[in-house]
């Protein structure tokens, strides 16, 4: 959509089930997850053309790009993993295991850590898995509320907030220690979150 004129351009047809989307900080590439195809499609913004699909894990959903634009991280909901993609070459790296039932993803503004929410069984408390960007290694999952979904990080990279859909709370996580604070009661079935 052209924001100056408010008009829609020609559709970019993507086979499968496009669901998640992220843009590189330089604005040159858009990445779209294809849930049914188990792949990610890069789109060249200058020409609005599709690049070659990038194979990832099972049922990819959410995606986020590091602030330096070097890596895109894809949440594979069906294989309980996150696939890092090197943006310069559009090549996938080794999948990183996370807690079962991963949902959403956020990256700290300082680019140091990725946080992935996971619903687990859907009745027991879920978890948030921190991933160290420098080494692509997962840390100890952080227990939060029931069915954590939305994840957002404060601009100073000090606190992560997670919505817990099934118990109507938001859990703050201290980034320095990766520990969960006291859950904050909010409305019924919180899902998305922004700071």
């Amino acid at each position: 959509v052209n924001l100056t004129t408010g008009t829609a351009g020609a559709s970019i047809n993507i086979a499968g089930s496009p669901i998640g989307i992220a843009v590189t900080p330089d604005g040159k590439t858009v990445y779209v997850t294809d849930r049914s195809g188990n792949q990610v499609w890069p789109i060249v913004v200058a020409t609005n053309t599709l690049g070659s699909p990038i194979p990832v894990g099972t049922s990819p959903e959410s995606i986020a790009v590091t602030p330096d634009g070097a890596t895109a991280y894809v949440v594979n909901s069906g294989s309980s993993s996150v696939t890092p993609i090197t943006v310069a070459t559009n090549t996938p790296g080794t999948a990183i295991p996370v807690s079962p039932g991963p949902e959403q993803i956020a990256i700290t503004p300082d680019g140091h850590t990725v946080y992935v929410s996971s619903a687990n069984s859907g009745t027991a408390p879920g978890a948030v898995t921190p991933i160290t960007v420098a080494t692509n290694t997962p840390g100890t999952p952080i227990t939060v509320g029931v069915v954590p979904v939305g994840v957002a990080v404060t601009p100073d990279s000090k606190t992560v907030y997670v919505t817990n859909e099934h118990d109507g709370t938001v859990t703050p996580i201290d980034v320095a220690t990766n520990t969960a604070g006291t859950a904050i009661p909010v409305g019924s079935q919180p899902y998305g979150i922004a700071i």
Side-chain angles (χ1 to χ4, degrees):
V1 176
N2 185 307
L3 297 182
T4 302
T5 62
T7 55
S11 295
I12 303 165
N13 295 320
I14 296 176
S17 303
I19 186 168
I21 190 167
V23 183
T24 56
D26 63 11
K28 293 182 178 179
T29 308
V30 172
Y31 289 98
V32 180
T33 59
D34 172 9
R35 185 171 181 173
S36 62
N38 300 329
Q39 57 197 358
V40 171
W41 291 92
I43 298 173
V44 178
V45 171
T47 58
N48 281 338
T49 53
L50 288 175
S52 299
I54 305 162
V56 291
T58 306
S59 299
E61 289 194 11
S62 304
I63 184 169
V65 182
T66 53
D68 63 5
T71 310
Y73 287 89
V74 182
V75 175
N76 305 307
S77 63
S79 52
S80 297
S81 65
V82 171
T83 300
I85 295 173
T86 300
V87 169
T89 58
N90 281 338
T91 52
T94 302
I96 304 161
V98 296
S99 289
E103 294 274 348
Q104 301 290 325
I105 187 170
I107 302 173
T108 55
D110 62 15
H112 293 167
T113 311
V114 173
Y115 287 90
V116 181
S117 63
S118 294
N120 288 333
S121 67
T123 56
V128 173
T129 303
I131 298 171
T132 302
V133 170
T135 58
N136 281 339
T137 53
T140 302
I142 305 157
T143 300
V144 290
V146 182
V147 186
V149 185
V151 186
V153 188
T154 54
D156 61 8
S157 296
K158 290 184 177 180
T159 309
V160 175
Y161 287 91
V162 184
T163 60
N164 303 303
E165 185 181 9
H166 283 198
D167 62 15
T169 64
V170 171
T171 301
I173 295 172
D174 185 302
V175 170
T177 60
N178 278 334
T179 54
T182 302
I184 305 160
V186 292
S188 176
Q189 297 183 321
Y191 195 86
I193 188 168
I195 298 171

